[in-house]
Amino acid sequence: DRQTLVAVLQFLRRSNLRESEEILRREARLLGDDLGGNVATVASSSPAVAAVAAVPPGKGGARGGTAGSLPRAAGRHLCRDPRGLGGPCASCSLGGFGGSVVVEDQPDVSAVLSAYNQQGDPTLYEEYYSGLKHFIECSLDCHRAELSQLFYPLFVHMYLELVYNQHESEAKSFFERFHGDQECYYQDDLRVLSSLTKKEHMKGNETMLDFRTSKFVLRISRDSYQLLKRHLQEKQNNQIWNIVQEHLYIDIFDGMPRSKQQIDAMVGSLAGEAKREANKAKVFFGLLKEPEFDVPLDDEDEEGENEEGKPKKKKPKKDSVGSKSKKQDPNAPPQNRIPLPELKDSDKLDKVMNMKEAARRVRLGPECLPSICFYTFLNAYQGLTAVDITDDSSMIVGGFADSTVRVWSVTPKKLRSVKTAADLSLIDKESDDVLERIMDEKTASELKILYGHSGPVYGTSFSPDRNYLLSCSEDGTVRLWSLQTFTCLVGYKGHNYPVWDTQFSPYGYYFVSGGHDRVARLWATDHYQPLRIFAGHLADVTCTRFHPNSNYVATGSADRTIRLWDVLNGNCVRIFTGHKGPIHSLAFSPNGRFLATGATDGRVLLWDIGHGLMVGELKGHTDTVYALRFSRDGEILASGSMDNTVRLWDAVKAFEDLETDDFTTATGHINLPENSQDLLLGTYMTKSTPVVHLHFTRRNLLLAAGAYSSQ
Amino acid sequence: MEPAKMASPKSAPKDAQVMAQILKDMGITEYEPRVINQMLEFAYRYVTTILEDAKIYSSHAKKSSVDADDVRLAIQCRTDQSFTSPPPRDFLLDIARQKNQTPLPLIKPYSGPRLPPDRYCLTAPNYRLKSLQKKVSSSAGRITVPRLSVGAVSSRPSTPTLGTPSAQAVSVSTKVGTPVSLTGQRFTVQIPSSQAAVKSATPTTPTVQNVLINPSLIGPKNILITTNMVSSQNASNESNALKRKHEDDDDYDNL
């Protein structure tokens, strides 16, 4: 009877009897609820109920709440808008982030899984696909590039539909025939796809499930879209039209069709490109104002005293706000937008040191390249998995595959731990060098080893005040270590799966971590549970970085997108697509306006955060880019890669003369100049050491780190 | 029989060749040769487990032979046990929505090292020294050395310092029988009490002189080295025994 219920629902849907369908669905949902949502019924034949049951039991309460909205959303989602997917569907489905996405995802699951039941004749799939292929190849040149974007998502969805409906042989022959036509950068996905030959295989693969339930976004100009729609509707290719409507989101823009080169730059992610409205939210990319403080210290610091204490590092071409101005930068977040820890005396001392060093900083540029000092980890037996260097370049930490965390002192000053409590009570607390006296000389050593993790350590991060160290590991925990006692203080458990990256906020207190469970979490050191959960990626979160103003977090993921999240409310404010492989490095420019990203495809992409556009592409590396860093004033971008090189790029030139007028922001793409060669200032090879970490000292000396690998 | 253990690809057993082919199909080109052995081991173990489970299910269903349904059921049950996958996307979005609705908590100023409550930290000692009860001097004053707790202010009233008895309120307490349940990095040292400043507390009364540790250790440089800010006085001595009951278990030590 469940099957008949579903069949009736589908019939009503096909006949556009929406209201009766809603009523029946509502009652059927109640029935579904009563029958229990246990996961074990996945093997049941009714896909709609299976979808309901596939929701984990923990969601029972939530489901009750959303049951009312489910029929409404389902009805809207499946509306057969004769004008195509342009307007109304865009507004009703999958718009917005954060709050409302859950409701739309639930109908997505059930609707999509049951949509897969509307099968055309499986043997005709190949004909449909080749018919479309023929049409696209015969279309005008200017439209062909855009319409070719359809091939990949259609191919995958048709293949999955065949597999889901258990037409194994047809699926296999469909795959054999057409998988070679796809773009080269999809080959990894296709390989995974080729291993999914049965319906049961699909259930275990979270990434594939996410792919099916999220809509693949395509950006097509209006002319090309009209062409496509006319063809699909007149040829009665209902199957393809169904799939287009169910699984693809076509973001139409008015303007010139894009060229193949432009398209190739932007596509590649698991979910297509980003919708334009995904990148429309206002982002406060300005820097927070440095607080004024009097520095009544030594007499030598008089020059520091007179300034306002604002080491504003701005790019030469930045327009309005000067460093002494008291005007609020319109692009900067309000000071109290998110609570930040107050400045302690030790922090103020640190800032003064920073300013003094900044005064002696070397100004870099194409004529004045930085010197590079490379720290090679010897005898690491390929176990080095993470490196970090403190801001003042005094300590370096390495995370290893044998689950240890090792801290070295880079300066001649050794690492000491604090004295025991017994000895501490003996010292004179009023003396000036009490900070030295609390240190126990007997424990001085250059290396400290921290034991505690039970799996390889994949990410490490020093706190800005150098009191704490974070490390995250494959065992699913993030550990906070004290650098005064060199012991572990807290283990933050939240991810139950490997945590790939973690980083402290530039002001301390907050830190972010991202892992295999496809979310990034924001923590504070004094809360044992995360404060924010950034969910939305389709695959593992491999890289997490804070914006310099600590209000935003950028996450790079194995689904080949970068998302920018707002710390205040957890919303995703930017989605950047264009990489063709998992992202492994992110770097914000010091002025907060730009983001540089590196991935396994060897390209470094530059993004304008305010407008949400890709503004540069730096080609040159031949292997994964694992390290990216802007110089202290943002003039040079350094990138380090698995191909054993460090490359320096001219950031000033890359960001000047950007044509970010209304037209480009409306269409969402920009003409990228092919100027990678002009921007490359130098390539520096190591003998055979992949570069894992880069760091500019306060005086703009570049430090690099990696483990010597003998092959 | 194969005389050579290190089989070259041509003479590798068929299973190993199949495994190598699988690795190649999945795009893995570089791997150590032992990976094939490990993968084969895993495959054998997994298949054996599944088939054994399937046999059990089919015999439970009183079938004469194992059929595909049994195997399917076995796979399903094992998958839930051994191979957990991350939560599905809608679940994550749901909990994210809930979590992100609460506003960010305000930060208390000047509260020292910001760490979670002690029970969520790893700062507690994981050992305890047994008390020496059999000493002749019944006033086995236990002089406890102050704890260096980098953690938050502890809830327990403190143990006193070992300090040169200064004119301030530093005194050695006698603590008999009361377990020194600790939070923070502390350790107790047993020294037969011969300090002059021993109060005349009788050994039977478990009075603890709670001593105020120099709060001036919170230096002007904001390095917070607390040795337990003590707020409570003798009245809380009794609560020493009551608090942290699960750690008050060395009564059996005391015989």
Side-chain angles (χ1 to χ4, degrees):
Chain A
D1 52 348
R2 270 188 228 151
Q3 293 179 354
T4 48
L5 208 57
V6 169
V8 169
L9 278 173
Q10 287 178 5
F11 171 71
L12 288 174
R13 198 184 309 138
R14 277 205 213 102
S15 336
N16 270 345
L17 298 169
R18 262 184 263 145
E19 277 187 10
S20 33
E21 188 217 351
E22 277 180 30
I23 296 175
L24 179 58
R25 191 177 269 279
R26 208 174 298 133
E27 294 190 28
R29 276 301 242 106
L30 294 177
L31 206 61
D33 273 341
D34 286 345
L35 296 172
N38 50 334
V39 185
T41 60
V42 174
S44 77
S45 49
S46 160
V49 180
V52 169
V55 174
K59 277 198 52 140
R63 263 194 294 140
T66 56
S69 52
L70 171 61
R72 190 173 15 104
R76 279 187 286 154
H77 166 81
L78 295 168
C79 63
R80 293 264 182 268
D81 183 3
R83 290 192 310 284
L85 284 177
C89 265
S91 60
C92 72
S93 65
L94 291 186
F97 296 85
S100 56
V101 189
V102 173
V103 174
E104 282 115 0
D105 262 293
Q106 258 213 314
D108 259 356
V109 173
S110 56
V112 165
L113 284 183
S114 56
Y116 272 161
N117 224 15
Q118 309 167 8
Q119 36 179 321
D121 188 354
T123 50
L124 290 180
Y125 274 28
E126 294 194 18
E127 273 193 42
Y128 295 147
Y129 188 85
S130 46
L132 181 69
K133 206 170 107 172
H134 179 76
F135 162 70
I136 292 180
E137 279 165 11
C138 296
S139 59
L140 290 177
D141 278 352
C142 58
H143 299 301
R144 194 180 314 141
E146 287 198 330
L147 294 178
S148 309
Q149 291 178 68
L150 272 170
F151 282 141
Y152 176 70
L154 270 183
F155 173 77
V156 177
H157 279 294
M158 287 172 87
Y159 176 77
L160 287 178
E161 203 168 308
L162 286 173
V163 167
Y164 188 84
N165 296 318
Q166 295 171 313
H167 304 294
E168 246 187 87
S169 53
E170 284 95 348
K172 210 177 288 190
S173 69
F174 183 78
F175 192 87
E176 288 300 308
R177 194 163 153 199
F178 293 118
H179 82 276
D181 298 333
Q182 309 304 325
E183 298 283 352
C184 53
Y185 38 80
Y186 289 126
Q187 286 308 320
D188 286 337
D189 288 345
L190 291 175
R191 199 178 293 126
V192 172
L193 208 59
S194 68
S195 68
L196 293 177
T197 47
K198 293 194 191 340
K199 187 171 158 192
E200 285 83 13
H201 297 165
M202 284 170 73
K203 291 191 192 111
N205 196 331
E206 284 299 329
T207 304
M208 272 303 143
L209 287 175
D210 287 348
F211 180 79
R212 283 164 50 206
T213 55
S214 58
K215 287 203 169 215
F216 195 94
V217 177
L218 296 168
R219 289 235 210 101
I220 298 190
S221 67
R222 192 172 291 280
D223 305 327
S224 314
Y225 178 68
Q226 302 289 3
L227 204 66
L228 174 72
K229 200 173 61 148
R230 219 178 308 135
H231 166 81
L232 289 179
Q233 284 186 324
E234 75 190 15
K235 288 276 286 261
Q236 302 299 323
N237 278 334
N238 271 335
Q239 199 49 37
I240 296 198
W241 186 236
N242 288 347
I243 296 182
V244 167
Q245 283 195 299
E246 302 287 354
H247 300 300
L248 302 183
Y249 178 88
I250 300 191
D251 197 18
I252 304 181
F253 65 89
D254 293 304
M256 291 280 297
R258 293 190 288 171
S259 68
K260 181 104 180 53
Q261 187 208 29
Q262 282 176 310
I263 295 178
D264 274 345
M266 300 286 294
V267 301
S269 99
L270 212 50
E273 298 184 50
K275 295 181 223 178
R276 270 169 300 142
E277 63 250 21
N279 285 342
K280 287 279 176 259
K282 175 155 173 58
V283 172
F284 293 105
F285 53 81
L287 300 174
L288 288 176
K289 274 221 266 267
E290 302 285 327
E292 300 178 29
F293 50 85
D294 297 327
V295 186
L297 288 183
D298 317 321
D299 292 336
E300 300 95 270
D301 283 0
E302 291 226 345
E303 64 269 40
E305 267 184 308
N306 294 333
E307 291 178 30
E308 276 178 352
K310 280 200 231 182
K312 196 117 174 166
K313 304 173 270 285
K314 62 185 171 89
K315 302 256 296 282
K317 80 167 193 66
K318 191 157 190 263
D319 34 8
S320 53
V321 190
S323 63
K324 302 265 199 298
S325 155
K326 292 223 193 283
K327 238 183 352 199
Q328 169 76 2
D329 181 2
N331 289 319
Q335 202 73 11
N336 52 0
R337 187 166 185 262
I338 60 165
L340 288 172
E342 84 283 355
L343 229 48
K344 299 202 278 233
D345 286 338
S346 51
D347 296 337
K348 293 181 186 170
L349 281 179
D350 208 36
K351 282 206 189 301
V352 169
M353 281 302 297
N354 204 346
M355 274 160 42
K356 283 206 281 190
E357 298 273 339
R360 302 206 197 100
R361 188 178 292 168
V362 177
R363 289 226 54 116
L364 299 175
E367 285 80 37
C368 179
L369 295 179
S371 307
I372 308 182
C373 177
F374 200 103
Y375 286 94
T376 311
F377 286 73
L378 298 174
N379 298 329
Y381 304 115
Q382 271 101 28
L384 179 71
T385 44
V387 175
D388 194 25
I389 301 180
T390 56
D391 190 62
D392 66 346
S393 322
S394 58
M395 288 192 280
I396 186 170
V397 64
F400 292 87
D402 62 355
S403 79
T404 54
V405 176
R406 292 166 197 243
V407 185
W408 283 271
S409 165
V410 171
T411 57
K413 181 166 181 263
K414 295 198 176 169
L415 299 175
R416 293 170 176 73
S417 61
V418 185
K419 287 180 180 162
T420 59
D423 302 333
L424 277 177
S425 54
L426 295 174
I427 62 178
D428 173 19
K429 290 158 203 62
E430 299 302 324
S431 66
D432 279 338
D433 58 345
V434 65
L435 288 176
E436 299 301 320
R437 294 192 186 205
I438 58 175
M439 293 300 178
D440 189 353
E441 286 304 319
K442 293 200 286 287
T443 62
S445 66
E446 283 203 10
L447 160 69
K448 295 275 185 198
I449 307 184
L450 303 172
Y451 297 101
H453 277 298
S454 49
V457 177
Y458 288 126
T460 47
S461 173
F462 279 109
S463 73
D465 57 1
R466 296 191 300 285
N467 286 337
Y468 298 119
L469 170 67
L470 278 177
S471 62
C472 68
S473 130
E474 180 260 348
D475 60 5
T477 61
V478 180
R479 282 185 181 245
L480 183 76
W481 309 83
S482 161
L483 292 176
Q484 288 166 329
T485 60
F486 292 99
T487 53
C488 184
L489 298 176
V490 195
Y492 299 95
K493 305 179 183 47
H495 299 277
N496 292 324
Y497 296 94
V499 187
W500 301 122
D501 196 13
T502 183
Q503 199 207 19
F504 252 113
S505 141
Y507 296 98
Y509 181 69
Y510 294 111
F511 61 94
V512 65
S513 64
H516 176 62
D517 56 356
R518 314 192 306 286
V519 303
R521 289 164 200 254
L522 179 82
W523 313 74
T525 50
D526 58 3
H527 288 78
Y528 62 96
Q529 285 186 339
L531 300 175
R532 290 284 178 264
I533 295 185
F534 304 124
H537 276 294
L538 299 181
D540 306 14
V541 175
T542 48
C543 190
T544 54
R545 288 284 177 267
F546 269 98
H547 188 280
N549 64 19
S550 193
N551 273 265
Y552 296 95
V553 169
T555 57
S557 157
D559 68 359
R560 284 113 56 183
T561 61
I562 298 106
R563 287 182 184 234
L564 195 69
W565 308 86
D566 188 346
V567 163
L568 186 65
N569 46 24
N571 293 340
C572 175
V573 295
R574 292 286 181 270
I575 303 182
F576 297 128
T577 63
H579 274 297
K580 314 282 189 281
I583 285 106
H584 282 290
S585 51
L586 296 170
F588 278 98
S589 66
N591 62 4
R593 288 177 62 190
F594 303 104
L595 176 64
T597 60
T600 54
D601 57 1
R603 293 151 70 217
V604 175
L605 298 181
L606 304 170
W607 310 87
D608 179 331
I609 296 173
H611 295 107
L613 301 171
M614 187 196 295
V615 296
E617 184 183 350
L618 304 172
K619 292 200 255 235
H621 281 294
T622 52
D623 206 337
T624 317
V625 178
Y626 267 119
L628 277 177
R629 194 63 78 121
F630 279 92
S631 66
R632 290 279 174 159
D633 294 318
E635 317 100 344
I636 298 230
L637 172 64
S639 63
S641 149
M642 289 283 289
D643 63 1
N644 305 337
T645 60
V646 174
R647 284 174 197 251
L648 299 178
W649 310 88
D650 189 346
V652 173
K653 200 154 149 216
F655 292 130
E656 68 184 356
D657 299 337
L658 290 179
E659 24 163 303
T660 49
D661 52 0
D662 288 335
F663 175 71
T664 49
T665 52
T667 55
H669 57 87
I670 202 172
N671 275 319
L672 293 175
E674 276 287 322
N675 58 355
S676 299
Q677 278 308 110
D678 303 334
L679 296 175
L680 179 62
L681 296 173
T683 307
Y684 303 94
M685 323 255 257
T686 68
K687 196 156 161 199
S688 73
T689 311
V691 183
V692 170
H693 187 76
L694 289 170
H695 175 81
F696 276 93
T697 65
R698 287 174 174 171
R699 298 200 195 179
N700 271 339
L701 169 70
L702 178 57
L703 304 180
Y708 178 70
S709 63
S710 44
Q711 58 257 33
Chain B
M1 287 287 279
E2 294 280 343
K5 286 290 174 187
M6 298 193 294
S8 59
K10 303 195 281 297
S11 51
K14 184 153 182 301
D15 283 347
Q17 287 176 358
V18 168
M19 189 53 76
Q21 185 63 35
I22 292 177
L23 287 172
K24 195 167 112 183
D25 282 342
M26 293 310 288
I28 305 170
T29 47
E30 289 178 17
Y31 51 87
E32 288 182 22
R34 287 173 39 193
V35 167
I36 297 188
N37 295 26
Q38 288 174 325
M39 298 290 291
L40 282 176
E41 260 189 57
F42 167 75
Y44 294 150
R45 187 163 36 97
Y46 179 67
V47 171
T48 315
T49 319
I50 297 291
L51 288 179
E52 280 178 359
D53 284 354
K55 265 205 301 206
I56 295 176
Y57 295 143
S58 95
S59 67
H60 176 78
K62 309 234 186 341
K63 288 192 242 189
S64 57
S65 62
V66 181
D67 67 1
D69 276 340
D70 298 321
V71 176
R72 220 172 269 136
L73 184 62
I75 293 177
Q76 206 176 300
C77 291
R78 277 287 161 191
T79 311
D80 293 339
Q81 265 185 354
S82 8
F83 305 108
T84 51
S85 59
R89 189 151 172 249
D90 43 0
F91 178 69
L92 290 173
L93 290 168
D94 196 28
I95 57 172
R97 193 167 47 92
Q98 283 175 8
K99 200 52 117 157
N100 296 343
Q101 269 166 2
T102 55
L104 289 171
L106 295 172
I107 305 177
K108 288 195 286 283
Y110 306 116
S111 52
R114 298 192 164 101
L115 294 177
D118 282 341
R119 85 163 71 103
Y120 302 107
C121 288
L122 301 170
T123 46
N126 49 8
Y127 61 88
R128 178 171 44 87
L129 297 177
K130 279 163 50 165
S131 57
L132 302 173
Q133 286 308 310
K134 299 213 177 103
K135 284 291 176 184
V136 171
S137 127
S138 55
S139 63
R142 194 184 309 160
I143 299 179
T144 58
V145 185
R147 291 150 293 198
L148 176 66
S149 58
V150 186
V153 175
S154 85
S155 55
R156 286 279 321 249
S158 73
T159 51
T161 63
L162 166 69
T164 53
S166 58
Q168 299 164 15
V170 174
S171 65
V172 175
S173 79
T174 60
K175 205 180 210 186
V176 175
T178 330
V180 190
S181 303
L182 312 167
T183 58
Q185 295 167 2
R186 313 168 198 169
F187 48 93
T188 68
V189 172
Q190 285 271 24
I191 303 178
S193 163
S194 57
Q195 296 285 332
V198 167
K199 296 277 172 84
S200 57
T202 59
T204 52
T205 50
T207 45
V208 178
Q209 295 287 347
N210 287 318
V211 177
L212 192 63
I213 310 304
N214 289 324
S216 65
L217 275 180
I218 307 165
K221 317 290 179 191
N222 257 337
I223 311 273
L224 190 60
I225 304 162
T226 59
T227 51
N228 286 314
M229 310 253 289
V230 177
S231 49
S232 60
Q233 296 307 316
N234 290 347
S236 62
N237 292 348
E238 299 311 315
S239 59
N240 286 357
L242 296 173
K243 277 190 199 169
R244 305 276 178 97
K245 262 277 186 246
H246 57 281
E247 284 170 342
D248 294 1
D249 60 352
D250 58 358
D251 288 337
Y252 60 82
D253 276 346
N254 300 336
L255 292 178

